[in-house]
Amino acid sequence: MSKPDTTFIQREGKNYLGTYRPKIDAKDKALGKVQYLDDITLKGKLPGMLYCKILNSPYAHAKIVKMDTSKAEALPGVHAVIRCDDPELRALGRTTHAWTDIAITPKESDTIDRFWDRVFLPSRALWAGDQMGVAVAAETPEIAEEAIKLVDIKWEMLPPVYEMDDAKKPDAPIVHTEMNPNSNQLKHGDDSVVDDLVFERGDIDKAMEDADYIIEVEKTFGGTSTHGTLEYRGCVIQWGEDKIDVWTNHYMADQTRMFIHDYTGVPLNRVRVRNGNSGAHMGKWNTGEDTFYIITAYLSKRAGRPVKYMMNNHEEFHETRSENRYKIKAACTKDGRVLGFDAIAEGNTGAYVGGCDHNVEFIVQETFDRIYYPIKNVRLHAYTWFTNKIPGGVVRGIGNVQLSWAFNPIFQRLSDLTGIDLLEIIRINCGNNFNQIGGLNTSLDRVLTEGARLIDWDKKRNKTPGGGELIDGYKKRGVGVGVWNQWHAELNELTRGYYEVSIRLNPDMSIIIQAPTSETGAGGNSAAVFACAENLAFLNTKPEDILWTPLCDTELTLRDNAPTDSVISFLYAEAMAEAAVKLKAEILRRVAEYMEKEPEELDIENAYVFEKADPENRIEVGWFMLHTDCVPIHIHHARHNVNENAGLPYGAWFVEVEVDTEIGTVEVLDMAVVNDVGCVMHASGAESQQLGGQALGIGEILTEEMQYDWETGTPLNNNYIDYKMLTMADFPSVTPLLIEEWQGLGRYGAAGIAEGSFCGTGAAIANAVYNAIGVEIDKQPITPKKILAGLAKIRENDRKEGK
């Protein structure tokens, strides 16, 4: 059967924004011309460059008692060694694994809660792989590696703890005595929190009394999957007499500069950071090993040469998606309404804080307004636990993926109890207090309606879980759905403060723009160019007339805008629209002076300035620019987001699966992904996000799982061979559909799509499996072992009931 046409149709026609067209750097990327960190820091370009290697702990919990580095120091080719007992390093004090947010902030200023749980080169390892103890700088990576092996260390082995339930036991070994000497629980950032109650609204106890049904779920997601990106993290640092030069693929050049300034004391104008293209960081830089900047910097200072640090294959697995567990009681009625949620959220943050606390506290609270606004009674207790596992970090879709997995099944349970169609249950209970018509959220209704049509919901959905016919005698099919809000919009990004753009109109009418951001593959640079061309239509400007300056440089460019939270495309589009207004005003001012008129008497169209009262009295802008003083017109604009709330739009994920009941495998046969983003900035790029997001969404549910040797706590498959990510051969049929139903703030009123492109994927697959065979999986990933155990349990229950 042929696929329906899902070509995106704009709500408001535009020339360049929201259209299907290649990215501005697509050709150069296809030809291999785009420069990444390894390209711009070749040893020939930086004579004398050394290579840094940092010791990775072989133990999950151990302390260095004695260390002899003399053999490493004597190895030919080694130029600097820095140890955990180095006085200069120890004087730096503590740092944090969760340093950056969307804002540029110094050490003493917070936009998010910071927990000072790290030191530079600690003497105690908190997970198997922890960077600690000693670092070297040598002439080749191989010499640096050999030097680390030559370090003679006497270890004191300490008892480890890996799971939340073990970490909370009274006799559990304490992971961070400096954070909490009495427990492995991370203390709340808000000192006013009492008894771990972090949020409450309405009267949840009364809701429970009034309920016809109380539905209870316990769902766990995270701790098993990682980023899987193309480029490894790193930097090159040269600390000269009075200046530090940095090249990096970190996506926040100005924040890197601030971080290095804070821990070296070098003035900001003497710290130069350059970044550019990054290999799809997908959130990991929010909790990146920022400590390696400082270690690399001090090695460079000691050696008097530039030093390069680059993670290897195994080190790239230094964070996983935070493991979150949600125990939820839902008070429900016979007419399909949820009266309230009483929830306990717990997180296994691993060895260090990396956003896990954010997941179980702040993001859960946001969720109750963003998607569960109709549910008036809510109570949330939250706990975050330290363990000796890989730190939980910020992975694409932070927190939202886990919450979608936990809350969506409640509506299926309610549908089973009431006999009301699942889509109707979702319509009744989900949404926000914006975009409402007759009590129904129009964005939510639209994505559900379109998705159901694309997947053929009414025809393919089994009326009862597991009630479909057997295929080939052992396979069953089912259809499922997951819903979630898109993120973010203007209001959610206020902490960015002002962000800058500039437009330079040259005498030949060509354009140079600055909209500094690291290009991670998402296409924020393309959106800035398309928005500039869109808003310079009065000059007949086309995208090919515009040069986007690609590299962020804290000495030469404007302050960069971090490509986080999937907002760069529309934030820069809004800023370009406002900058274009300023450019038009400046052209009119200059030409008015030349024509001896007032600017208010003139206008611009088709690259001509004309007198409103006498349109034949006109001057071509190009002629004026070339035949007067040939001075370019340069516009600088700083924009702050609109401080108003317009809610958020929604996405819906519909999946058809086939389950092999003999061996327990799950195959995704078909998928429809429908996202309402208010205003599409780049149709080709947005659909690419819809498709590419499913590689992560499906992979996390069906194929990806970190494995450990629990005797040592050592990760066993922290490499791209043994860790199974989807390939093109594994990818199913996916139909993307973009819609513009919701209207946000600003000129375009858009919301992000990249992080929200797969937030409902896992929930939809789990729901489809349940519809196919009647087995509900509580802990991600869905594995054959869990499928077969679920089927065995159903057979046992049937046997007991005499079926």
Side-chain angles (χ1 to χ4, degrees):
M1 185 176 69
S2 62
K3 287 282 186 180
D5 183 10
T6 56
T7 303
F8 168 63
I9 301 174
Q10 296 179 335
R11 175 164 50 188
E12 173 189 315
K14 304 178 188 68
N15 294 320
Y16 304 112
L17 275 178
T19 61
Y20 291 92
R21 58 181 59 247
K23 295 179 182 178
I24 62 171
D25 52 5
K27 182 178 179 181
D28 285 345
K29 284 186 174 179
L31 294 175
K33 293 182 178 180
V34 171
Q35 300 282 294
Y36 291 87
L37 180 62
D38 275 336
D39 300 308
I40 63 179
T41 59
L42 292 171
K43 196 163 187 176
K45 297 181 180 180
L46 293 168
M49 186 175 74
L50 304 175
Y51 296 87
C52 167
K53 177 64 181 175
I54 305 170
L55 172 68
N56 296 116
S57 170
Y59 307 112
H61 199 190
K63 181 180 179 180
I64 294 177
V65 176
K66 186 178 180 181
M67 181 166 59
D68 183 354
T69 56
S70 58
K71 291 182 180 178
E73 292 166 5
L75 184 67
V78 172
H79 288 258
V81 176
I82 192 165
R83 298 163 45 115
C84 56
D85 54 2
D86 184 274
E88 190 174 23
L89 208 61
R90 293 284 65 82
L92 298 179
R94 305 193 70 81
T95 186
T96 172
H97 193 58
W99 177 268
T100 57
D101 187 31
I102 54 177
I104 308 300
T105 53
K107 180 181 178 182
E108 66 275 6
S109 176
D110 296 347
T111 57
I112 59 174
D113 292 329
R114 291 183 182 166
F115 302 94
W116 304 98
D117 60 344
R118 288 189 68 119
V119 295
F120 301 100
L121 286 184
S123 59
R124 185 163 66 105
L126 299 183
W127 66 281
D130 204 353
Q131 294 187 313
M132 50 88 67
V134 62
V136 303
E139 292 177 3
T140 68
E142 292 78 15
I143 295 174
E145 185 79 38
E146 181 62 25
I148 290 292
K149 293 178 181 178
L150 290 174
V151 176
D152 185 16
I153 299 175
K154 181 180 179 181
W155 297 90
E156 177 187 347
M157 306 304 295
L158 302 172
V161 60
Y162 301 120
E163 304 300 342
M164 287 185 280
D165 290 337
D166 294 326
K168 65 177 70 172
K169 292 178 179 178
D171 60 346
I174 305 300
V175 177
H176 279 282
T177 54
E178 80 288 351
M179 300 291 293
N180 187 343
N182 302 314
S183 167
N184 283 311
Q185 184 180 356
L186 174 68
K187 294 181 178 180
H188 299 281
D190 183 353
D191 293 334
S192 66
V193 171
V194 178
D195 295 329
D196 303 299
L197 178 63
V198 297
F199 182 77
E200 189 171 26
R201 76 178 180 206
D203 188 341
I204 186 61
D205 293 323
K206 187 176 187 306
M208 291 294 171
E209 292 175 4
D210 294 342
D212 297 312
Y213 315 110
I214 295 178
I215 296 172
E216 297 187 44
V217 300
E218 181 177 321
K219 299 288 181 177
T220 303
F221 194 112
T224 63
S225 53
T226 191
H227 310 273
T229 53
L230 294 174
E231 185 183 21
Y232 301 158
R233 285 165 277 186
C235 65
V236 174
I237 297 182
Q238 183 167 15
W239 191 338
E241 288 187 15
D242 61 350
K243 185 180 180 182
I244 297 178
D245 279 290
V246 182
W247 296 262
T248 182
N249 50 12
H250 189 307
Y251 60 35
M252 294 176 73
D254 280 273
Q255 179 61 32
T256 302
R257 180 177 69 154
M258 183 67 74
F259 179 74
I260 292 172
H261 157 74
D262 275 335
Y263 280 101
T264 63
V266 177
L268 287 172
N269 67 343
R270 295 291 180 177
V271 180
R272 183 182 185 183
V273 179
R274 282 158 279 194
N275 72 1
N277 295 284
S278 298
H281 282 143
M282 293 184 179
K284 67 186 176 184
W285 272 115
N286 284 82
T287 56
E289 279 75 6
D290 294 312
T291 54
F292 69 66
Y293 285 107
I294 306 306
I295 295 166
T296 305
Y298 279 94
L299 283 171
S300 174
K301 182 182 180 182
R302 305 277 175 90
R305 294 193 187 189
V307 177
K308 181 174 184 176
Y309 171 79
M310 204 78 176
M311 284 189 173
N312 61 30
N313 191 329
H314 299 285
E315 291 167 337
E316 261 302 314
F317 283 75
H318 271 202
E319 300 99 28
T320 61
R321 185 182 296 284
S322 294
E323 180 184 356
N324 298 147
R325 179 171 63 196
Y326 303 93
K327 299 177 181 178
I328 309 164
K329 291 183 179 180
C332 306
T333 65
K334 292 178 181 179
D335 61 354
R337 295 189 178 276
V338 178
L339 301 178
F341 290 132
D342 193 358
I344 297 173
E346 294 185 280
N348 183 343
T349 192
Y352 299 105
V353 180
C356 186
D357 62 301
H358 206 59
N359 292 359
V360 299
E361 295 192 27
F362 177 69
I363 293 180
V364 187
Q365 296 175 47
E366 284 188 322
T367 295
F368 295 139
D369 283 329
R370 291 179 176 182
I371 189 168
Y372 299 136
Y373 180 81
I375 300 169
K376 301 301 183 183
N377 306 290
V378 175
R379 181 165 58 203
L380 172 66
H381 290 82
Y383 308 83
T384 301
W385 305 98
F386 284 114
T387 66
N388 295 113
K389 292 178 75 172
I390 294 178
V394 178
V395 181
R396 184 180 182 182
I398 172 178
N400 290 261
V401 174
Q402 295 97 313
L403 286 165
S404 173
W405 172 264
F407 278 90
N408 270 285
I410 293 171
F411 303 118
Q412 177 62 63
R413 299 265 194 99
L414 186 53
S415 174
D416 291 343
L417 289 168
T418 61
I420 301 172
D421 182 70
L422 175 56
L423 302 187
E424 185 60 25
I425 293 285
I426 293 171
R427 287 186 174 95
I428 292 170
N429 293 290
C430 298
N432 53 48
N433 57 329
F434 299 92
N435 297 88
Q436 296 275 349
I437 296 179
L440 186 66
N441 185 280
T442 57
S443 174
L444 181 69
D445 180 58
R446 179 90 181 274
V447 297
L448 287 173
T449 300
E450 296 288 357
R453 174 181 64 86
L454 292 173
I455 206 71
D456 203 359
W457 176 270
D458 291 336
K459 181 179 179 180
K460 293 182 178 180
R461 175 81 169 178
N462 296 321
K463 301 306 178 185
T464 58
E469 295 181 1
L470 279 174
I471 300 170
D472 298 330
Y474 60 95
K475 296 178 182 178
K476 283 198 169 187
R477 291 182 180 181
V479 172
V481 63
V483 295
W484 206 249
N485 56 263
Q486 297 298 129
W487 57 306
H488 274 165
E490 290 247 344
L491 178 68
N492 313 113
E493 300 293 310
L494 290 177
T495 55
R496 286 180 184 266
Y498 285 91
Y499 46 94
E500 303 176 289
V501 298
S502 69
I503 303 176
R504 180 185 179 95
L505 176 62
N506 292 313
D508 66 349
M509 300 298 287
S510 64
I511 302 285
I512 300 174
I513 66 170
Q514 280 198 39
T517 187
S518 176
E519 170 50 21
T520 62
N525 55 347
S526 297
V529 168
F530 301 153
C532 183
E534 190 76 39
N535 287 279
L536 295 185
F538 58 88
L539 295 177
N540 292 334
T541 300
K542 300 181 290 297
E544 52 265 33
D545 300 325
I546 301 170
L547 172 66
W548 176 76
T549 50
L551 293 178
C552 300
D553 186 327
T554 57
E555 269 191 11
L556 302 178
T557 63
L558 305 176
R559 195 195 79 166
D560 66 339
N561 203 5
T564 58
D565 293 341
S566 311
V567 298
I568 285 298
S569 293
F570 71 81
L571 291 186
Y572 271 152
E574 297 282 359
M576 280 296 166
E578 295 172 7
V581 173
K582 287 186 175 181
L583 177 62
K584 182 176 182 179
E586 180 60 16
I587 294 171
L588 290 175
R589 187 192 68 79
R590 294 192 187 188
V591 176
E593 185 178 282
Y594 179 83
M595 295 178 67
E596 298 182 348
K597 300 287 183 180
E598 294 298 320
E600 295 77 15
E601 300 178 77
L602 307 177
D603 204 349
I604 311 176
E605 187 176 14
N606 289 326
Y608 280 86
V609 175
F610 62 92
E611 186 179 357
K612 294 177 183 177
D614 181 12
E616 295 301 316
N617 182 18
R618 63 180 190 166
I619 291 178
E620 186 181 17
V621 178
W623 180 92
F624 172 81
M625 294 292 293
L626 277 173
H627 291 85
T628 52
D629 53 16
C630 283
V631 175
I633 300 177
H634 185 88
I635 297 298
H636 170 266
H637 180 63
R639 182 180 189 270
H640 196 282
N641 289 344
V642 180
N643 189 9
E644 296 177 22
N645 194 355
L648 284 169
Y650 296 95
W653 294 259
F654 287 79
V655 178
E656 182 182 12
V657 301
E658 184 173 84
V659 182
D660 187 316
T661 62
E662 292 186 349
I663 61 174
T665 56
V666 177
E667 180 183 359
V668 176
L669 300 178
D670 196 11
M671 188 170 186
V673 180
V674 186
N675 297 107
D676 176 10
V677 294
C679 182
V680 175
M681 296 291 105
H682 179 208
S684 306
E687 285 189 1
S688 295
Q689 293 290 351
Q690 289 180 293
L691 295 170
Q694 307 324 309
L696 180 55
I698 298 171
E700 281 193 296
I701 298 301
L702 297 181
T703 68
E704 300 180 32
E705 185 175 16
M706 290 293 296
Q707 302 289 342
Y708 288 84
D709 174 0
W710 293 119
E711 291 294 320
T712 62
T714 304
L716 298 177
N717 61 333
N718 55 337
N719 62 78
Y720 292 124
I721 295 176
D722 299 317
Y723 181 82
K724 174 59 177 171
M725 291 183 288
L726 292 189
T727 67
M728 290 298 290
D730 305 312
F731 207 74
S733 169
V734 179
T735 302
L737 178 63
L738 297 165
I739 62 173
E740 296 179 331
E741 179 70 31
W742 171 79
Q743 180 62 54
L745 303 170
R747 164 70 179 84
Y748 297 112
I753 188 171
E755 296 221 51
S757 65
F758 68 103
C759 284
T761 300
I765 293 173
N767 185 238
V769 169
Y770 176 73
N771 185 244
I773 60 174
V775 173
E776 185 176 333
I777 304 297
D778 293 324
K779 187 173 183 178
Q780 165 265 351
I782 298 174
T783 63
K785 183 177 180 180
K786 294 175 186 177
I787 292 288
L788 295 177
L791 290 171
K793 186 176 180 180
I794 290 175
R795 288 193 296 269
E796 178 62 19
N797 290 337
D798 288 346
R799 185 188 65 79
K800 289 179 179 179
E801 296 174 8
K803 294 183 179 180

